[in-house]
Amino acid sequence: IEIRGCAETCALVKQAGFTDVKLATEEDFYTEYLAAIISCKVVSGLDEAIAHINQHSSQHTEAIVTENYTKARRFLREIDSSSVMVNASTRFADGFEYGLGAEIGISTDKLHARGPVGLEGLTSLKYIVLGDGQVRA
């Protein structure tokens, strides 16, 4: 596992005896590695955490671990991702876990589908209205 972090992260990790830590670049916070690499930044509080996530996130899945219900609700409200979790593993962001059946994709778009996509998410609706002269008042 490799950790890429801010200066404070690097110092904390080295204090704990972990040696594979590198100073993160701004690009590291935008990168999805698809490997055993994590970018980590120590922030001063919830405001900075929300700002950092909303700037650098892929808008896929975010999580907060907290006992503060007020902060958890704010996190849920202000994070713009398809899955936002409180005190739960981000590994639950899965179509099958959400009851969508077999997951056949994931979308971070806001239109048409957002989040895990099952078969129903790939369908669209067509509304058919039949009348014989009705009007809307």
Side-chain angles (χ1 to χ4, degrees):
I1 295 175
E2 179 183 310
I3 299 172
R4 298 180 187 184
C6 64
E8 190 172 350
T9 298
C10 291
L12 289 168
V13 170
K14 286 178 183 176
Q15 269 182 354
F18 192 78
T19 58
D20 201 3
V21 59
K22 297 178 181 176
L23 192 60
T25 66
E26 184 69 15
E27 185 177 331
D28 285 321
F29 295 117
Y30 288 102
T31 303
E32 182 178 358
Y33 297 103
L34 303 176
I37 302 171
I38 185 173
S39 297
C40 184
K41 179 178 179 179
V42 175
V43 295
S44 62
L46 187 58
D47 289 337
E48 190 178 348
I50 289 171
H52 181 79
I53 291 168
N54 283 336
Q55 179 178 348
H56 296 95
S57 172
S58 68
Q59 296 182 321
H60 184 291
T61 305
E62 313 302 335
I64 186 173
V65 177
T66 182
E67 293 179 353
N68 186 308
Y69 182 72
T70 301
K71 289 182 180 183
R73 287 183 47 97
R74 180 172 171 221
F75 186 84
L76 292 171
R77 185 176 58 250
E78 294 184 24
I79 293 297
D80 184 20
S81 292
S82 62
S83 293
V84 186
M85 305 184 174
V86 176
N87 299 332
S89 170
T90 58
R91 295 197 61 195
F92 284 113
D94 176 80
F96 183 78
E97 293 292 331
Y98 288 167
L100 302 174
E103 183 175 304
I104 54 178
I106 186 76
S107 174
T108 56
D109 267 349
K110 290 188 178 182
L111 296 175
H112 145 71
R114 187 174 197 201
V117 180
L119 183 59
E120 187 176 324
L122 293 179
T123 61
S124 62
L125 300 174
K126 181 177 184 178
Y127 297 93
I128 299 172
V129 178
L130 304 174
D132 59 4
Q134 290 86 352
V135 295
R136 183 172 175 197

